[in-house]
């Protein structure tokens, strides 16, 4: 619940991006980089990677973004 909600068009580097990958609850988070890209750890045992919000998998599951108070 912490942090300021950010519209997708206003996202900046360091914003947290949230996804619903398992049902209705938020189950995955990444850190927004720029140009639609975000860094995240896909799943246990896999390497940290950079993905794009425009990829069908992530676009369908995108739940929103928040800006941590230290970045506001």
């Amino acid at each position: 619940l912490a942090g300021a909600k950010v519209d997708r068009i206003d996202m900046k580097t360091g914003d947290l991006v949230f996804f619903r990958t398992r049902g209705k609850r938020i189950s995955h988070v990444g850190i927004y980089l720029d140009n639609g890209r975000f860094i995240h750890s896909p799943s246990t045992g896999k390497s940290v990677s950079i993905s794009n919000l425009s990829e069908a998998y992530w676009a369908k599951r995108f739940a929103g973004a928040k800006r941590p108070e230290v970045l506001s």
Side-chain angles (χ1 to χ4, degrees):
L1 298 174
K5 184 177 178 183
V6 179
D7 289 332
R8 191 170 178 158
I9 195 166
D10 296 322
M11 290 189 306
K12 295 181 181 178
T13 301
D15 288 344
L16 300 178
V17 288
F18 298 93
F19 303 89
R20 291 182 179 97
T21 58
R22 292 185 219 135
K24 295 181 182 181
R25 299 187 76 182
I26 300 298
S27 51
H28 192 72
V29 64
I31 302 170
Y32 188 72
L33 298 173
D34 61 8
N35 298 318
R37 299 176 317 139
F38 66 99
I39 189 166
H40 63 115
S41 180
S43 60
T44 303
K46 293 191 178 180
S47 298
V48 170
S49 64
I50 295 174
S51 296
N52 199 300
L53 291 170
S54 65
E55 293 173 29
Y57 180 86
W58 297 113
K60 180 178 178 181
R61 292 163 175 83
F62 181 73
K66 287 214 170 182
R67 184 161 299 142
E69 293 177 17
V70 295
L71 297 177
S72 296

